[in-house]
Amino acid sequence: MAKNKEIQSATARQISLDYLCMLFIPVLVAWYFYRERALRLLLTGIACAVLCELLAMLLFRSLRKPMDYNSIVVGACIALLLPADAPYAIAALGSAFAVLAVKLPFGGTLHSPFVPAAAGFAFMTVCFPQAVFAYPQLQTGVIHGAAEWIPGVSLANLLQNGSAPRVNLQVALEFLAGSIAGPMGTTCILGLLVTLLFPMLRNPRVILGPLGFLISGAVMAFAFPRVQTTRMTSVFLELCAGMLLFCAVFFVTDPATSPKTGGRRLLYGLLTGFLCMLLRFFGLYEEGTCFAVLAANALWPVFEGALDKLMPLLYAKLPLLQRGVKEHG
Amino acid sequence: MAEPADRRHKTSFRYMLLRGAVLHNPLLVRIVGICPVVAVTTTLQTAVLLSAFFCVTFLITQTLTCLFMKKLPRFVRVCIYMLIGTAIILPLTAAVNTWNDSLLVGAGVYLPLLAVNSVTALHCEKFAVRPSSTLRLALFDAVATSFGFSLVALLAGALRELLGSGELWGKPLFSVLLLPALLMPFGGFLLLAVFAAALQLFTGHFFKEQAADASLKISKTAVHLLRPEVQPPTVAKVIQQQKETLPEQDTPEQPTAIQQEETQEEPEQADSEPALDAQEETAAQENIDLRDLQLRFQNVMEQLEQFSAGTDYKEEAGAEDAAENTAQEEGEMS
């Protein structure tokens, strides 16, 4: 039993280290665009998450357990989802909620039924929607100080209001490079795509979740465009907007909540993407990806139960179908 | 067989208060009647209103049930609980409306819905209608449960108002770092969860033995939903298990825990326990095998019912049993 716990702890630590490596590019992008402010916000989120975990460990007398660095990942993810001019208290509160209310009560890393960082951000969204979605504008490309904060409009906000920017090559490159108003670590699409290579190299099956997520989002954007542009432009804008790709890379691949087999990972991604687009179409806030991830976390066990019942029936029918195909040509 | 002094202790008001308000708290341990608390207690005022309405409704319903409704069949009793609740809630609502109509706006539809509150029906059915329960014990139980309900509701209302809007009883105290999420039902659930965890910690520390009785047990159905690999027992498997264990027991048995629970739920049987014991002894002497088979069949049916019920509470022969037995003795003595 103790050996199993040690193995689990080592696995959790390894997974958290992988995520820390993956966070390198988003942190770099946040630092490039927002400089020391981004770093301060990141440090606040991380420090609060780690302190909360240490406090809980002290309270429940389990300080002997080695830390698995997951709190650092949670704090960093929450800070990267915030705008650069967000108050520090919001980042601290979101991290504390994620660790104390979502991660630790369910048994810590690899045991929580919800993605802690997504839950923390959802809590912040419900509590402080004005502050969470008030992004500073990037007029000159790079902002260096708090004095230069100018309220900006994010791409997700534009899409929610039904207005689309004209997309030419230069604008598309700006979107891909992340030179638009938005959450600190989520705007650089190219950086996130490069980040996605890391888990793909570690375990190719992991990519199926984000792939299903993006396919589902793209299909929904193609079928039901929110803005009056071409369907392909709608797909491009929807995939670049908000924190969709960030959630695909960091939340949909979460090993505690995502399924184990490849096919089911794809289905889980499709479900999450579908819910995400539904929330974008009908949701109250301009960005509902974290809510979609939480909803998928809650719904997936039900879907999996149904799959468990359906699959044996399907396999039982498969030989009959094959025989029928052979007989009838 | 417990000592009479111990039984007397378990029917004392102090013990009943501890059991009803802390160990078997309706909101935090039994998890019943949480809907109005989660939805309404966003301010201390509405929490006070909700608690007052609940206490009045519950006390009167439990008293009337204990006095007049023991002989009625269950399906009639449940309807009468609702009628009594409605008869109490309607004039109360009208009175509050004439006094201060803004209070009722905050409470919404959940205050009238207290007429069909599950806490009332559950406690009346589990306690007040037992032939052994006296008016004194029923009132003790009602007061203790109302106290536990009100305490949690008031605490939740005060905390939600303080942290969600920075006010207490309508007076603004601060406006920095407010959490409006706590004013939503999700915040109410979260707060109740924190309270439940704190209560579990408290009872586990100070009342270890009683806390074991009060703890919630996850049913097999829930385990099956969470872990599909754990398959539910089939009828054939359960019967097979019963058949395998049957030859090992040759002596006449005492009633099992399941049967004890059954006697708790059906007070008519509990009332005639001495007579049943005598019958059991003679029946065991006459035909032990038949008796065993009957017990096995009852066990099988009980297991299947438990599995299909979804949730079950671990309320075995604990404080309630002792209280019931003492009440029976008192009744016989009188």
Side-chain angles (χ1 to χ4, degrees), chain A residues 231-254:
Chain A
R231 288 177 186 272
M232 289 312 291
T233 311
S234 165
V235 171
F236 176 74
L237 291 175
E238 290 284 2
L239 293 186
C240 289
M243 49 198 71
L244 191 135
L245 200 60
F246 186 89
C247 289
V249 175
F250 289 97
F251 297 165
V252 179
T253 56
D254 184 53

Side-chain angles (χ1 to χ4, degrees), chain A residues 60 89-90 93 97 101 123 126-128 285 301 305 308, chain B residues 177-182 184 186 190 201 224-226 228:
Chain A
F60 295 105
I90 292 182
L93 204 67
F97 179 83
F123 182 72
V126 172
C127 286
F128 318 101
Y285 307 110
D308 285 338
Chain B
L177 207 66
L178 300 175
L179 302 173
L182 282 180
M184 298 176 182
F186 127 82
L190 207 68
L201 208 68
H224 172 63
L225 278 174
L226 291 170

Side-chain angles (χ1 to χ4, degrees), chain B residues 25 45-46 85 125 153 157 165 184 187 192 200 213 243 266 283 294 313 319:
Chain B
N25 189 293
Q45 284 179 338
T46 51
E125 279 301 311
S165 52
M184 298 176 182
L192 282 189
Q200 206 171 13
D213 287 337
K243 278 180 183 173
E266 295 182 8
Q294 193 184 353
Y313 294 96

Side-chain angles (χ1 to χ4, degrees), chain B residues 46 56 124 145 161 172 174 184 229-230 236 263:
Chain B
T46 51
V56 172
C124 288
T145 308
E161 189 179 4
F174 60 89
M184 298 176 182
E229 68 271 15
V230 180
T263 52

Side-chain angles (χ1 to χ4, degrees), chain B residues 85-281:
Chain B
T86 314
I88 297 163
I89 292 282
L90 279 177
L92 274 179
T93 312
V96 172
N97 201 20
T98 52
W99 173 52
N100 188 352
D101 56 348
S102 62
L103 278 175
L104 288 176
V105 174
V109 74
Y110 296 98
L111 215 54
L113 275 179
L114 276 179
V116 289
N117 194 5
S118 53
V119 182
T120 310
L122 183 79
H123 270 263
C124 288
E125 279 301 311
K126 283 196 76 87
F127 200 90
V129 296
R130 283 182 186 171
S132 55
S133 71
T134 58
L135 181 63
R136 186 178 70 98
L137 288 175
L139 276 175
F140 281 1
D141 180 65
V143 169
T145 308
S146 303
F147 180 68
F149 183 96
S150 306
L151 197 68
V152 176
L154 292 176
L155 207 59
L159 270 177
R160 288 172 81 180
E161 189 179 4
L162 198 67
L163 299 176
S165 52
E167 297 175 353
L168 197 63
W169 199 263
K171 290 177 184 174
L173 295 178
F174 60 89
S175 58
V176 185
L177 207 66
L178 300 175
L179 302 173
L182 282 180
L183 301 178
M184 298 176 182
F186 127 82
F189 277 116
L190 207 68
L191 213 57
L192 282 189
V194 172
F195 287 168
L199 184 73
Q200 206 171 13
L201 208 68
F202 174 76
T203 50
H205 193 72
F206 291 104
F207 306 100
K208 272 183 186 169
E209 292 173 7
Q210 294 94 329
D213 287 337
S215 64
L216 193 70
K217 198 168 67 178
I218 295 174
S219 72
K220 289 173 188 171
T221 316
V223 171
H224 172 63
L225 278 174
L226 291 170
R227 296 171 58 199
E229 68 271 15
V230 180
Q231 291 299 321
T234 57
V235 179
K237 200 181 281 181
V238 173
I239 290 171
Q240 183 66 32
Q241 283 175 358
Q242 297 299 329
K243 278 180 183 173
E244 283 171 4
T245 54
L246 190 59
E248 294 170 8
Q249 298 167 351
D250 295 331
T251 53
E253 289 179 344
Q254 294 293 323
T256 59
I258 296 164
Q259 283 179 317
Q260 284 175 6
E261 279 182 8
E262 201 174 357
T263 52
Q264 277 184 1
E265 284 175 9
E266 295 182 8
E268 288 82 5
Q269 290 180 15
D271 191 31
S272 57
E273 249 182 25
L276 267 179
D277 284 342
Q279 281 178 8
E280 276 173 16
E281 282 176 12

